Amino acid sequence: MSAYRKPLPAVDDLNRPFWEGVRRRELRLLRCEGCGGYRFRSFRLCPKCGGDKATWVETSGKGTIWSYGIFHKAYFEGFKDEVPYNVVLVELAEGPRLYTNLVGARNDQIRIGMPVEAVFEDVTPEVTLVKFKPAG
Amino acid sequence: MPDLERLKRLRNRTAIVGVGASRQGTFPDLDPYTLAIEAFRSALDDCGLVRGDIDGLIVQGPGGVSFVRMGEMLGLNPVAGATFDIGGFATGPLIQYAALLLDSGICRNVALLYGNASRTEGRRFGGETTVTPGREYSSAFYYYGLTSPGAASAFQARLHFETYGTTSRQLAAVPVAQRRHAALNPQAIKKDSPLTVEKHQRSRFICEPLRLYDYCLINDGGVALIMTTAERAKDRRKRPVYLMGLGRHDTYRHSSLPNYLLWRETMPMAAEMAFGMAGIGRDDVDALMIYDSFSINIWFALENFGFCKPGEAGAFTQDGRIELGGEIPVNTHGGHLAESYMQGWLHQVEAVRQLRGECGARQVRGAEIVQYICRGNVASTLIYRN
């Protein structure tokens, strides 16, 4: 297996449960214990109610495409061989949005509103990324 | 909610009296300070003030240009100085801040200096250099290849296209119009490079659906403005251009994700504030200067400020409606797409020159009111009158 040359996420104390989750094929979000709202970001406080207690919970992994872009310019050396590649913004069923790549579809098949579901890709021995594919 | 009645007291209380620009282009031997100072000398000459009259110093530039260093180089020891390093949408807020310094009596003459050596410094607005190692929050999602301000606009353009049935071909009307304007502006970098819709459509995608000509230039240059109070403005060399209205609205929700619904969360509020303060309507505006890091910004400004209905900017921008002689001329200097990438500062210079009647072949005849609009999660607007 050739070396993985794309940038890798920075794991820290706040987001570590997320990255441990994807290693186990779980897409986790923070759920506020005060208002029940979900958030993707590892923010300390709930942006909705200001509550400071939250739990990482497994989610459905389902969502829809909110918008997307096709990169023709390789800003990152590691993506040079893949242009044009897609980045999609997925709105999860639980509410939060996240950027990711859509796999299992050609770039010209992507549409706003398309139902998608999470898949997990081990990109290095330590790191797994969550990507999405058309819901089937 | 702004206190509009109180805000109205600021109407026409301050003015821009001096404008200056350095050479615009690629200058490997010049730094942002030198470029800004070149512009400053020109602005002083424009209004007939001398260096020692300046008692407020506001400084901005990509990568952080220090007001302390700038003041040291200029030999200025003002009452108040500041650098605001909040990116391209700083221009409107900084002019508003200058107006407050003046109207409150803290300062008498404020210089706003901008220096940008992005071309020479090889500044990349995307890729490895924009990722902060170990800082997940500041640069999340780069590991999916997401990067660059242009991508944020591309996602929004896609949303506009699919929601309203608008097209890249319609969007081409924006850069085409601005190249036409640039051809009439001796200062414009692209004054000799006309653009057609066909050429736009053949140009390469950067982040699809946006193409090369939907992106702004990256170049070096400096800009300076000098502002004073309405009373003092009458004594200056040229006709004052008064700040008639101002508007601002922020939202920080999803700030790290470019996923606003086409800036509907900020721009309409800024518009309402400025029109309310100025006591005018859209029909009174003779020309628009719109922050155009990307062509699609023009659509967001027109829709969110009520110059056309939501979703209709694609059709509205056709048939020369945003060109000189059209219904509402936009970026008569060529803007970031064709004149120079001075992050909104040359938009102010053009507004002033239009209101003084100094624009020659690109003069908007009888221009009395010109409005500046900047999109963003920090949206701002300024209404100027002569």
Side-chain angles (χ1 to χ4, degrees), chain A residues 16-116:
Chain A
R16 186 165 289 113
F18 176 84
W19 294 107
E20 288 174 353
V22 289
R23 287 299 287 171
R24 294 179 195 155
R25 271 61 187 154
E26 287 178 17
L27 177 55
R28 295 177 182 170
L29 292 173
L30 271 173
R31 187 172 61 199
C32 175
E33 291 181 13
C35 71
Y38 289 88
R39 59 187 192 266
F40 174 73
R41 294 298 195 145
S42 43
F43 296 154
R44 293 297 292 269
L45 303 180
C46 174
K48 288 195 188 95
C49 75
D52 64 353
K53 290 196 168 52
T55 318
W56 286 95
V57 296
E58 185 179 359
T59 63
S60 66
K62 294 189 187 307
T64 54
I65 290 183
W66 196 87
S67 192
Y68 60 101
I70 311 294
F71 282 78
H72 290 252
K73 179 182 169 80
Y75 290 93
F76 293 105
E77 186 68 19
F79 281 89
K80 205 172 67 178
D81 298 334
E82 291 187 18
V83 291
Y85 65 89
N86 72 67
V87 177
V88 299
L89 180 54
V90 170
E91 185 165 80
L92 297 169
E94 290 80 6
R97 298 168 188 163
L98 77 162
Y99 285 97
T100 182
N101 302 124
L102 188 75
V103 297
R106 294 194 318 269
N107 287 342
D108 63 6
Q109 293 173 320
I110 305 173
R111 292 289 178 273
I112 288 172
M114 191 182 220
V116 292

Side-chain angles (χ1 to χ4, degrees), chain A residues 4 7-10 12 15 19 40-43 66-73 75-77 79 85-89 97-101 110-112 129-131, chain B residues 125-128 131 133-137 140-148 151 154-156 158-159 162-163 205-209 215 254 256-261:
Chain A
Y4 186 75
L8 288 166
D12 58 32
N15 67 24
W19 294 107
F40 174 73
R41 294 298 195 145
S42 43
F43 296 154
W66 196 87
S67 192
Y68 60 101
I70 311 294
F71 282 78
H72 290 252
K73 179 182 169 80
Y75 290 93
F76 293 105
E77 186 68 19
F79 281 89
Y85 65 89
N86 72 67
V87 177
V88 299
L89 180 54
R97 298 168 188 163
L98 77 162
Y99 285 97
T100 182
N101 302 124
I110 305 173
R111 292 289 178 273
I112 288 172
L129 293 181
V130 57
K131 298 188 176 181
Chain B
F125 291 82
E128 263 93 0
V131 174
R135 297 285 178 166
E136 194 268 345
Y137 170 71
F141 305 111
Y142 55 87
Y143 35 87
Y144 294 114
L146 176 74
T147 188
S148 83
F155 276 71
Q156 294 190 323
R158 178 73 71 184
L159 186 63
E162 289 202 16
T163 305
F205 288 117
I206 306 297
C207 186
E208 188 182 345
Y215 279 62
H254 302 310
S256 46
L257 308 174
N259 59 1
Y260 299 100
L261 187 60

Side-chain angles (χ1 to χ4, degrees), chain B residues 170-179 295-296 298-299 317 322 337:
Chain B
Q170 286 180 315
L171 188 55
V174 171
V176 166
Q178 294 191 198
R179 288 282 174 123
S295 58
I296 191 85
I298 306 307
W299 286 10
T317 45
I322 57 168
L337 300 176

Side-chain angles (χ1 to χ4, degrees), chain B residues 77-94:
Chain B
N77 300 292
V79 174
T83 290
F84 290 76
D85 193 13
I86 59 171
F89 40 64
T91 317
L94 291 187

Side-chain angles (χ1 to χ4, degrees), chain B residues 160-235:
Chain B
H160 201 283
F161 290 180
E162 289 202 16
T163 305
Y164 300 113
T166 47
T167 64
S168 166
R169 197 177 180 85
Q170 286 180 315
L171 188 55
V174 171
V176 166
Q178 294 191 198
R179 288 282 174 123
R180 282 190 186 136
H181 296 162
L184 304 172
N185 178 3
Q187 182 176 275
I189 289 170
K190 297 294 183 186
K191 64 177 182 293
D192 300 318
S193 305
L195 182 67
T196 61
V197 172
E198 297 311 321
K199 191 174 172 189
H200 173 276
Q201 289 296 287
R202 283 195 307 271
S203 70
R204 65 179 191 272
F205 288 117
I206 306 297
C207 186
E208 188 182 345
L210 295 185
R211 298 173 185 274
L212 176 66
Y213 294 111
D214 295 313
Y215 279 62
C216 64
L217 309 173
I218 297 176
N219 62 273
D220 307 335
V223 187
L225 308 179
I226 295 173
M227 292 177 67
T228 190
T229 58
E231 300 78 19
R232 294 183 183 94
K234 292 178 175 55
D235 302 329

